[in-house]
Amino acid sequence: MSDAALDMGKPAEEVEDISYLRAGHSLRSWFLTTDHKRIAILYLVSIVFFFLIGGAAAAMIRLDLLTPAGDLMTNEGYNRAFSLHGIIMVWFFLIPSIPNTIGNFIIPLMIGARDLAFPRLNLLSWYIYIVAGFIALAVVLGGGVDTGWTFYTPLSTMYANGMVAATVIAVFISGFSTILTGINFIVTIHKLRAPGMTWSRLPLFIWSHYAVSIIFVLATPVLAITLLLVAAERLFGIGVFDPALGGDPLLFQHLFWFYSHPAVYIMVLPAMGVISELITSAAHKRIFGYWFVAIASIAIAVIGFLVWGHHMFVSGQSLYASAVFSFLSVAVAVPSAIKVYNWTATLYKGDIMIDAPLLFALGFIGLFVAGGLTGLMLAMLAIDVHVHDTYFVVAHFHYIMVGGTVTAFFGALHYWWPKITGRLYNETLARIAAIVILVGFNVTFFPQFMLGYEGMPRRYHVYPPEFQLLQVISSAGAALLAVGYAMPAFYLLWSLKKGPRAPANPWGATGLEWTTSSPPPKHNFTQQPVVVRGPYDYPLEHPASRANA
Amino acid sequence: MKGLLIQLGLVWVALLILLAATVIAAHLPLGAAKPWISYAIAFAKAALILWVFMEMRKEGAIARLAMMAAMVWLIMMMTLSASDYLTRGWLSG
Ligand code: HEM
Ligand SMILES: [Cu+2]
């Protein structure tokens, strides 16, 4: 690998000053670009596209659930709608969402590099993702799948009659895109830091992306092989999961969740990195407990691999294993809690600027806490017997994946929008959108906790009439949420044409990405930056740490 | 170059011999020792591949560390899975 970004020998003067957006206007200059910033834009457009498709499926589901009789779709159609929703949202929106758009754009800027370590690999990663995405879309048009995003055996191998093999192959392929991104980030963070950018000066956004890259590289192969085994058993009758052929059906769940619990942290760790940046910038204050937050990311990445059995408490797993997994699941909550306390402590006595990014960040914290605490409830063996496979679980993970990650994604998009596009958006509209999203989210998903606790199972569209009121409230909330999500599409796009030009550092934030122009020049910096102080070098410190200094 | 090819060829032959050993061991009446013999053979094969084909013997500390991380993760996966499979009979109902 001798990619250009690795030889940093070129004298800085040779690099022209022209913005990356103006460096070439042809299609070729976009589709064959190796500039991490342009690839980030390619990803951004693609994930928004998949978000719309996944969102359309969600809209169908919520419409169908308005009436207890399941009047809109057939049973089969309903199964396909929620499977499509989960598969698209998890692999084609949430997993690439923050890392491949914001991360791709901001990581090299934050550490003072000209690009990622392997720019061509970065482009390849996008192409692989697109190929996988189009296979997934072809499946939708060709009839769909009805296994849910979890592909549980023996349903997926023996009974499901949708296009299971094609779908798992699409997910298999998308995994390679994820792995390449992980390798690229790890090498970049190790090798391309600017002079003076020591590990203890790394922004927390970088730490969380380092942690998530570890999961990318170590977890994704397990999913890839597991899905390949499903395809092999389904297509060629090779016995892996089918007991009649000498296999074990629970083996699928072990392997799947060995990937998929870490994958839920794939979805939330980058969001946590975003929040650390948004909070410090809005409070103009140093992060409280830098090392605790940094190490908590790594701890989450590692311990997150040891808890998967909490998805299998009622599946026939041995009680001893369940007890062990329950205990470990409680342990993984510790580093997450550390982060929440440290963000709050960072805000304490800060010089706070209540702009849209902060509203999104505060929303993240509240929703993540609700999602995390209900996760702890689910990790209790006795409670889980009651609420397993009910809407309680659905509400739990939506609080984290949508309330947490999607909210953080919007926060990040607003915070770095001036840097990415060189334009300022309308702050008032953005604040309104943030509030509409938070209200809409809670109206949609809080009733689902209640539904689940009272016994509404997940993945059914016919339900007892006494649940209708809560279901209708939830669907109404979803409509509000959709409005909230649509708003930024308008004012952000509008800002591209009419928004005022952004200065290099509109938030008065620290961090190398704010030292270069908005939008940045093609090679990020006109001069090689040299780092002489730690991150978050704001005038305010936490009162407690001042005493020690 | 030639020395390298010979070396790779030798490892390949060694892997084939180990493969033959696997097949033979599967058909011999070895009783309880049978799985352990298979594990040992599998381990030897993996070690050869890592050490020679994947060039771990030439790599620096970082690459070896990365390999060990993969091993540690594999062990985590197997140990915790075993905590289910090996204790299923412990409690009835
Ligand atoms: C931090 C981000 C988290 C995300 C994104 C997340 C996501 C998810 C998802 C997607 C599921 C449902 C999977 C399915 O059955 O289809 C789930 C279930 C579950 N989660 Fe979380 N989770 C997170 C954190 C936690 C935490 C911190 C805990 C506990 C310590 C936890 C405990 C559980 C349990 C026990 C279940 C299984 C419940 C059941 O099926 O009965 N989760 N989570
Ligand atoms: Cu989990």
Side-chain angles (χ1 to χ4, degrees):
Chain A
M1 288 283 166
S2 62
D3 272 308
L6 276 177
D7 49 59
M8 304 254 298
K10 262 196 200 158
E13 296 81 359
E14 271 182 32
V15 180
E16 328 108 83
D17 216 348
I18 174 168
S19 118
Y20 81 98
L21 287 173
R22 295 165 158 273
H25 295 281
S26 61
L27 275 183
R28 188 190 154 89
S29 76
W30 281 93
F31 287 109
L32 290 180
T33 180
T34 52
D35 182 340
H36 67 102
K37 299 183 286 305
R38 287 195 167 203
I39 298 173
I41 306 276
L42 292 178
Y43 261 115
L44 181 61
V45 174
S46 337
I47 66 160
V48 168
F49 173 71
F50 283 107
F51 185 61
L52 290 176
I53 295 187
M60 305 254 295
I61 296 170
R62 285 304 343 155
L63 271 178
D64 196 353
L65 289 171
L66 279 173
T67 60
D71 296 307
L72 183 64
M73 285 181 265
T74 59
N75 295 347
E76 186 72 353
Y78 185 78
N79 290 349
R80 291 182 178 190
F82 72 69
S83 304
L84 166 78
H85 169 70
I87 292 164
I88 296 283
M89 287 301 200
V90 167
W91 284 293
F92 298 98
F93 172 68
L94 274 173
I95 288 188
S97 63
I98 296 177
N100 283 310
T101 59
I102 311 289
N104 225 336
F105 197 100
I106 296 295
I107 287 174
L109 287 165
M110 269 190 170
I111 63 172
R114 288 161 41 139
D115 206 314
L116 287 177
F118 307 120
R120 282 186 292 245
L121 210 58
N122 196 14
L123 182 66
L124 179 64
S125 166
W126 180 73
Y127 274 105
I128 294 176
Y129 163 77
I130 288 297
V131 168
F134 277 109
I135 298 179
L137 283 184
V139 170
V140 179
L141 298 176
V145 257
D146 57 1
T147 58
W149 75 286
T150 44
F151 302 115
Y152 268 20
T153 52
L155 174 62
S156 61
T157 44
M158 292 167 70
Y159 302 108
N161 45 25
M163 300 174 73
V164 180
T167 315
V168 298
I169 285 168
V171 176
F172 173 82
I173 295 174
S174 84
F176 286 88
S177 160
T178 310
I179 295 170
L180 296 185
T181 302
I183 294 173
N184 218 339
F185 284 177
I186 292 176
V187 177
T188 304
I189 296 169
H190 272 275
K191 293 287 185 193
L192 297 189
R193 284 171 287 128
M197 178 58 88
T198 56
W199 287 89
S200 59
R201 287 176 180 163
L202 281 181
L204 292 164
F205 184 80
I206 302 290
W207 274 105
S208 70
H209 275 77
Y210 187 76
V212 84
S213 303
I214 295 177
I215 310 183
F216 277 167
V217 172
L218 287 168
T220 317
V222 178
L223 175 77
I225 295 302
T226 309
L227 294 181
L228 216 52
L229 290 174
V230 167
E233 181 164 308
R234 192 177 163 89
L235 298 176
F236 309 116
I238 296 170
V240 183
F241 307 116
D242 177 5
L245 300 171
D248 175 51
L250 267 201
L251 179 63
F252 175 82
Q253 296 185 27
H254 276 300
L255 294 174
F256 181 82
W257 290 112
F258 180 81
Y259 162 81
S260 281
H261 187 87
V264 305
Y265 285 106
I266 289 181
M267 299 178 226
V268 88
L269 272 168
M272 293 171 151
V274 167
I275 301 309
S276 296
E277 303 301 320
L278 266 47
I279 293 276
T280 45
S281 157
H284 296 98
K285 201 150 156 278
R286 281 186 198 181
I287 188 87
F288 177 76
Y290 172 83
W291 276 113
F292 276 91
V293 182
I295 297 300
S297 287
I298 307 293
I300 288 174
V302 176
I303 307 175
F305 275 96
L306 306 177
V307 304
W308 80 82
H310 64 213
H311 297 275
M312 301 167 61
F313 289 158
V314 300
S315 68
Q317 170 178 259
S318 90
L319 189 60
Y320 287 87
S322 292
V324 170
F325 280 118
S326 172
F327 174 80
L328 289 167
S329 302
V330 177
V332 78
V334 174
S336 304
I338 289 179
K339 290 193 177 219
V340 170
Y341 284 120
N342 286 29
W343 291 322
T344 329
T346 304
L347 286 170
Y348 178 64
K349 292 199 171 166
D351 176 10
I352 295 178
M353 188 168 73
I354 305 188
D355 284 327
L358 180 73
L359 292 179
F360 284 114
L362 293 178
F364 170 94
I365 295 179
L367 300 176
F368 175 70
V369 166
L373 289 180
T374 51
L376 284 177
M377 291 173 69
L378 289 168
M380 300 298 110
L381 295 183
I383 299 181
D384 191 58
V385 175
H386 175 47
V387 289
H388 175 72
D389 261 347
T390 68
Y391 262 73
F392 194 88
V393 176
V394 176
H396 154 68
F397 65 75
H398 280 88
Y399 262 74
I400 290 179
M401 309 205 302
V402 182
T405 304
V406 180
T407 307
F409 175 68
F410 273 98
L413 201 58
H414 285 76
Y415 181 66
W416 281 292
W417 186 259
K419 183 55 63 187
I420 295 173
T421 64
R423 300 289 183 151
L424 297 174
Y425 58 83
N426 183 315
E427 188 55 49
T428 313
L429 286 175
R431 288 182 206 171
I432 296 173
I435 290 166
V436 173
I437 288 174
L438 293 183
V439 174
F441 177 84
N442 282 296
V443 177
T444 311
F445 290 103
F446 196 82
Q448 298 187 5
F449 278 128
M450 296 153 79
L451 280 168
Y453 207 82
E454 286 176 9
M456 168 81 207
R458 66 190 288 197
R459 296 178 172 172
Y460 284 77
H461 69 149
V462 177
Y463 57 85
E466 58 265 35
F467 290 140
Q468 189 172 14
L469 178 62
L470 287 170
Q471 290 283 19
V472 170
I473 296 175
S474 177
S475 294
L480 188 61
L481 186 58
V483 172
Y485 284 156
M487 283 178 66
F490 290 102
Y491 60 74
L492 288 179
L493 288 178
W494 188 83
S495 80
L496 287 181
K497 280 266 166 268
K498 306 271 167 141
R501 296 210 174 263
N505 189 358
W507 308 108
T510 64
L512 284 183
E513 78 267 31
W514 302 109
T515 61
T516 188
S517 54
S518 303
K522 187 156 187 271
H523 291 294
N524 294 351
F525 299 94
T526 40
Q527 281 176 1
Q528 171 67 61
V530 176
V531 184
V532 290
R533 42 179 86 83
Y536 319 117
D537 192 32
Y538 291 103
L540 289 175
E541 275 185 73
H542 192 268
S545 54
R546 202 178 300 150
N548 305 334
Chain B
M1 187 65 206
K2 198 165 165 220
L4 182 70
L5 282 181
I6 292 176
Q7 190 186 37
L8 293 180
L10 282 178
V11 174
W12 181 63
V13 172
L15 286 172
L16 286 183
I17 294 174
L18 285 168
L19 176 64
T22 312
V23 177
I24 294 168
H27 291 281
L28 290 182
L30 295 168
K34 200 170 195 167
W36 297 102
I37 291 173
S38 306
Y39 298 149
I41 299 176
F43 183 82
K45 284 183 201 156
L48 272 176
I49 290 171
L50 279 169
W51 204 243
V52 185
F53 286 172
M54 293 174 73
E55 308 206 318
M56 275 305 141
R57 78 212 137 97
K58 292 190 208 152
E59 289 294 349
I62 288 262
R64 285 190 192 173
L65 197 68
M67 182 208 71
M68 305 246 281
M71 292 290 159
V72 169
W73 254 256
L74 196 64
I75 291 171
M76 292 184 334
M77 184 172 101
M78 293 191 167
T79 317
L80 280 172
S81 300
S83 83
D84 170 20
Y85 287 105
L86 299 183
T87 64
R88 285 218 188 138
W90 286 15
L91 208 76
S92 52

